[in-house]
Amino acid sequence: MLAAIVLFIAAALAQTHTFHFNATYVHGNPDGMATRRLIGINGQWPIPTIKVKKNDRVIIHYTNTLEDRNTSLHFHGLFQRGSPHMDGPEMVTQCPIPPGLTFTYNFEVPDQAGTYWYHSHSGAQYADGLRGMFIIEEDEPLSYHYDEEVLLSVSDYYHTESPIIMKQFLTRFNPTGAEPIPQNSLFNETKNATWTVQPNTTYLLRIVNMGLFTSQYLFIEDHDMVIVEADGVPIEPTTVDSIYLSVAQRYSVLIKTKESTNKNFRFVNVIDQEMLDLLPEELQVISTNWVVYDESKELPLPLKNGKNLFDKLVASLNPINEFDLTTADKVPLLPDPDYQIVLNFTMDQLGDGVTYAFFNNITYVAPKVPTLYSVYSSPDRTDARIYGSNTNTYMLQSDEVIEIVVNNMDPGKHPFHLHGHNFQIVAKSAEGDEENPTIYDPTNPEWNNFPEHPMVRDTVQVEANGFVVLRFKADNPGVWFFHCHVDWHLEQGLAITLVEAPESILHFDSCYAAGVPYVGNAAARHGPDGRWFDLSGENKQPAPLPEGFTLKGYFAMIVCTFVAIFGVISIYKYGMEDVNSEDVEATVHKLYKILRDHGVEVN
Ligand SMILES: *[C@@H]1O[C@H](CO)[C@@H](O)[C@H](O)[C@H]1NC(C)=O
Ligand SMILES: *[C@@H]1O[C@H](CO)[C@@H](O)[C@H](O)[C@H]1NC(C)=O
Ligand SMILES: *[C@@H]1O[C@H](CO)[C@@H](O)[C@H](O)[C@H]1NC(C)=O
Ligand SMILES: *[C@@H]1O[C@H](CO)[C@@H](O)[C@H](O)[C@H]1NC(C)=O
Ligand SMILES: *[C@@H]1O[C@H](CO)[C@@H](O)[C@H](O)[C@H]1NC(C)=O
Ligand SMILES: *[C@@H]1O[C@H](CO)[C@@H](O)[C@H](O)[C@H]1NC(C)=O
Ligand SMILES: *[C@@H]1O[C@H](CO)[C@@H](O)[C@H](O)[C@H]1NC(C)=O
Ligand SMILES: [Cu+2]
């Protein structure tokens, strides 16, 4: 009862946040080195932060006012429980939004809180700036205290627009598949930033890597960070001197400022240069920003760059391995899987000379119909075959425990992201040998000693030539993408599609069972060339009554017919047995009264 009341109150307090977002081009120079065209919202860049409370509803009327591009929005880390059609990736859960069109995203956030973000899921479009933070405030008391919440994003940054980069990347003239090298990194979408703090204050810093490619190290000189949240999951408080974030990962950290204001400190973000195939001289891998206690005091000089300086700096940091974190709620290890998906990941050229990425020899190619819409419209939606050979689709049954093993046979690091869920990281290997990658072997005692309380998050980095083993419960019907969040690799096909419990997704079951058409216009006609307007054979109302035939008269006729029939039956009965004739008379009078009440003249 109490639970019901609490739920009722929560529902009553839940707010609806409505946004009108136009995707628009703006010009910007966030790194102070080159002006370029960026994609903003309503003429502004950086794009707005969305901040809501748990249980709230979010409605975004999203209009594509870019004249030459399709677009979409994905809300990274949101489960979209009951609203899989709001997840955003084009050709997976929706069609691309063409120029001029408005698509309304409308969903609730009932079951999660923390640091999320939203970004375009059309090609590599978020590299052009269409990326922002999405914060869901917890509606219950937190287990930790802070005085002030501060948001922070880091990212890599390109001076060229993504469609142009894509053309140069996916060609036979790039036979090694070398990823585009960013020109810079950004800190809160700028550089050389200063963050003015109060002394003796505890800040909750919500940090997102909104970059497209490179992981980053982050640290404040002479200040500890206490990790309390990762990808929306409360984490057993863990003190570190630095953090390491792959693209799409988030951490919330507590930072206690010093009591004294006699000094300012460097706040440094560092691109993981090991991910880059080549290192341009001019690329600033190490970028300095500042924590300012006293504006009248000098800022320490920026840290210098250079190959050896990177190695030296990184060697001095101790960011925790994400596998060694644990959830604050001590989430227990899921039982042995009902279904295991082993994904061997390789990169190779195909006949067109382009380098593609493969899971088990299949490179993801988008279908002609968004996969979720195939679920909606096919009577055979539980059969993987309808989803095609190149969407790399796996069927998940309701409430199964799913295990995904990614064996990375590539010498790069890759952050894998699952839509619609977070997952337990039950095993994660260190970097392997390029000639002899470390393959997950469940019979190897070194690898099947899973933690009792594994780390949970929605994006995990698999190390070069290493593996990760992930588990989750298939408790969220939908079509969910699982892919590398380095969008260059996603564009190379590094994705699979999970079709989860399709029989429980809004669908046309009763139509199939009843043999009722579910596609077409009112006449069940559809197709090109105006056949949508062909209504021949539609269901229609009966022809009108003959002229002079009024509704009253029609009613009188029915009742009179009834009286006549009743009379015949009565006479028949009368003749058969000893019935009181008064009964018959009374009934006939009742019928006359009904007729009079309806204005029919009777004698
Ligand atoms: C940051 O500092 C560098 C080096 O001093 C300078 O070239 C660049 O323009 C600055 N960028 C911004 C956005 O302040
Ligand atoms: C979005 O663009 C349309 C026309 O393209 C304009 O009418 C509307 O006012 C714009 N909305 C906002 C919020 O800027
Ligand atoms: C937008 O999407 C449609 C449908 O997939 C496609 O035909 C068209 O080429 C896309 N436009 C751009 C500019 O990518
Ligand atoms: C980052 O930018 C946001 C808003 O643009 C601001 O509220 C926040 O304080 C900035 N973070 C830091 C660490 O400066
Ligand atoms: C810092 O805060 C603590 C309690 O939060 C207080 O006891 C202490 O006196 C403060 N120090 C200064 C210098 O304000
Ligand atoms: C993955 O690679 C390993 C090692 O080559 C092999 O034993 C295994 O069968 C492969 N799995 C799949 C699904 O291809
Ligand atoms: C993938 O292709 C390689 C080489 O062509 C082959 O050896 C391997 O068996 C294939 N694996 C699968 C799962 O088809
Ligand atoms: Cu990747």
Side-chain angles (χ1 to χ4, degrees), residues 504-531:
S504 320
I505 302 173
L506 166 75
H507 55 67
F508 308 111
D509 252 3
S510 50
C511 302
Y512 308 142
V516 173
Y518 53 89
V519 176
N521 62 13
R525 291 179 191 280
H526 57 92
D529 308 325
R531 278 175 58 207

Side-chain angles (χ1 to χ4, degrees), residues 386-422:
I386 68 156
Y387 304 109
S389 38
N390 262 110
T391 59
N392 220 347
T393 294
Y394 292 81
M395 307 300 298
L396 311 185
Q397 311 301 320
S398 186
D399 285 332
E400 276 183 343
V401 173
I402 311 297
E403 184 169 273
I404 298 182
V405 177
V406 178
N407 290 313
N408 178 10
M409 299 171 168
D410 176 81
K413 307 171 187 183
H414 301 268
F416 283 98
H417 170 49
L418 174 60
H419 289 224
H421 291 273
N422 46 32

Side-chain angles (χ1 to χ4, degrees), residues 87-349:
D87 193 44
E90 66 175 43
M91 299 318 287
V92 180
T93 66
Q94 70 166 88
C95 296
I97 307 170
L101 202 93
T102 300
F103 185 99
T104 298
Y105 291 95
N106 183 341
F107 53 88
E108 281 177 346
V109 288
D111 48 1
Q112 49 191 149
T115 311
Y116 302 89
W117 63 303
Y118 70 107
H119 61 82
S120 165
H121 219 298
S122 300
Q125 192 171 67
Y126 83 80
D128 299 320
L130 204 43
R131 55 188 187 208
M133 296 185 79
F134 192 116
I135 309 298
I136 307 175
E137 299 284 356
E138 184 54 82
D139 61 356
E140 288 157 31
L142 296 166
S143 58
Y144 49 86
H145 158 86
Y146 63 88
D147 301 306
E148 199 184 317
E149 174 185 299
V150 174
L151 310 184
L152 172 63
S153 70
V154 291
S155 72
D156 43 31
Y157 182 62
Y158 292 85
H159 287 165
T160 310
E161 291 184 29
S162 63
I164 298 168
I165 302 178
M166 281 296 301
K167 278 207 190 91
Q168 298 162 348
F169 172 49
L170 291 184
T171 84
R172 63 198 168 88
F173 302 109
N174 181 21
T176 63
E179 295 86 1
I181 307 291
Q183 277 69 54
N184 222 329
S185 72
L186 295 177
F187 180 95
N188 229 12
E189 303 287 30
T190 183
K191 285 205 79 78
N192 318 325
T194 52
W195 173 33
T196 303
V197 297
Q198 299 300 314
N200 206 17
T201 302
T202 302
Y203 289 91
L204 179 77
L205 204 53
R206 296 183 181 275
I207 310 171
V208 185
N209 185 343
M210 307 201 298
L212 204 81
F213 175 20
T214 53
S215 305
Q216 294 205 35
Y217 296 88
L218 252 102
F219 65 97
I220 302 174
E221 280 181 343
D222 211 10
H223 287 66
D224 281 341
M225 296 173 166
V226 182
I227 299 174
V228 291
E229 181 225 319
D231 300 359
V233 178
I235 296 298
E236 181 67 26
T238 306
T239 303
V240 290
D241 65 356
S242 58
I243 55 171
Y244 179 88
L245 279 178
S246 78
V247 294
Q249 286 187 328
R250 291 88 67 203
Y251 282 127
S252 284
V253 300
L254 296 174
I255 294 168
K256 176 87 197 281
T257 54
K258 299 192 177 299
E259 293 194 7
S260 150
T261 62
N262 62 5
K263 212 177 148 205
N264 299 321
F265 296 85
R266 296 186 185 93
F267 195 159
V268 184
N269 66 298
V270 186
I271 288 180
D272 182 357
Q273 74 177 35
E274 288 175 6
M275 297 176 84
L276 307 177
D277 278 4
L278 77 172
L279 199 58
E281 192 76 30
E282 63 281 6
L283 176 63
Q284 257 191 51
V285 169
I286 303 169
S287 299
T288 303
N289 309 276
W290 290 272
V291 172
V292 178
Y293 281 83
D294 182 345
E295 275 162 20
S296 71
K297 295 221 161 57
E298 253 184 86
L299 299 178
L301 286 175
L303 294 182
K304 289 211 168 59
N305 271 276
K307 164 85 176 99
N308 298 334
L309 294 175
F310 168 86
D311 291 340
K312 221 176 126 194
L313 180 61
V314 166
S316 73
L317 302 175
N318 304 288
I320 191 165
N321 182 337
E322 59 186 325
F323 182 72
D324 296 328
L325 293 169
T326 188
T327 59
D329 301 335
K330 294 267 182 283
V331 174
L333 174 71
L334 280 166
D336 285 344
D338 301 300
Y339 182 49
Q340 190 195 45
I341 301 170
V342 177
L343 301 171
N344 286 351
F345 156 40
T346 52
M347 293 225 183
D348 214 342
Q349 271 170 297

Side-chain angles (χ1 to χ4, degrees), residues 421-442:
H421 291 273
N422 46 32
F423 45 69
Q424 302 187 344
I425 308 173
V426 300
K428 173 174 166 165
S429 80
E431 184 177 336
D433 175 27
E434 189 167 347
E435 298 309 316
N436 189 17
T438 311
I439 305 294
Y440 173 63
D441 173 4

